[in-house]
Amino acid sequence: MPHLPDVVLWSVPAFVLLTVVEMVSYRLHPDEDAEGYEAKDAATSVGMGLGSLVFDALWKIPIVAIYATIYELTPLRVPVLWWTLLLMLLAQDFFYYWSHRGHHVIRVLWACHVVHHSSKKFNLTTALRQPWTTWTVWPFYVPMVALGVHPAVIAFTSGVNLVYQFWVHTERIDKLPRPFEFVLNTPSHHRVHHASQGGYLDRNFGGILIIWDRMFGSFVAETERPVYGLTKNIETFNPLRVATHEYAAIARDIRAADSWRERAGRVFRGPGWQPAARAVAAETPKDGPSGNRAPASVEEPAA
């Protein structure tokens, strides 16, 4: 088993220091065009982050068991060397892109990820607003394990990706020089990702690299000032409600559904999906029924 550091744990002091620096910067140099900080919002984000550590430890038990089984069954092995580690970090970032994109376009996955988008602020504490139901993430990295990447390496590269993304949750950094903006995920790109305007919805899914978005048609540059949050905000600072509100909304929609086809659509279609009859009746089809950010898709009536 490769001995790799817990980069998230080692980065906690830096998280705290940078957050304090950002808070102080808003005190010393206020910016009327930035969202800044709100005590209740920041406290909720920190609480969600601490809760995610507890729940991630629970979900890790069955996930590690599944990964370990796959790793034992595959005859392939990727050695842990400095150059293979770089390649595995690149591979993890690629699969992270598809995991992130999937968690925006499939509603049951969005129910997990919506937590991270539920703040109307955008600052370094927003990076800590993590979901408590990350059991939906592990399938996206199965190909890496099947190709012989040790599960501990998956954990390490995922941690590196998570740590990198901390600093992109800020309005205090403007656009960087063009070479960086072209290759890397930056605060400018990630502000677009967290915005709720129609032209910005479901864009810029990259973790470390933005090249995946450029390659697969999901990139949008920052032009107008972003408005953060959901298309229909949940207006609560209760961590339990923040963590579960979309699952509750899915359950309500399933109970109100008229058919099994509609029930399946409520779970596996896009977050804003509605059956054709209800979509026609809706005044604002852009907004989903429960704080969704994705545009509604309409089911065509059966022939």
Side-chain angles (χ1 to χ4, degrees), residues 196-240:
S196 60
Q197 293 105 307
Y200 283 170
L201 288 178
D202 299 333
R203 300 292 179 178
N204 299 359
F205 300 110
I208 297 175
L209 301 175
I210 203 67
I211 57 173
W212 312 121
D213 291 280
R214 295 184 186 278
M215 290 172 61
F216 299 113
S218 53
F219 174 75
V220 167
E222 183 182 30
T223 52
E224 62 179 308
R225 182 179 177 275
V227 177
Y228 304 108
L230 307 171
T231 57
K232 183 179 179 183
N233 289 297
I234 55 177
E235 307 298 344
T236 181
F237 297 110
N238 183 326
L240 185 60

Side-chain angles (χ1 to χ4, degrees), residues 63 67 95 99 103 109 134-144:
I63 292 170
Y67 280 174
F95 286 111
S99 170
H103 278 73
L109 303 186
T134 51
W135 60 64
T136 58
V137 173
W138 69 267
F140 290 90
Y141 301 105
V142 166
M144 289 184 68

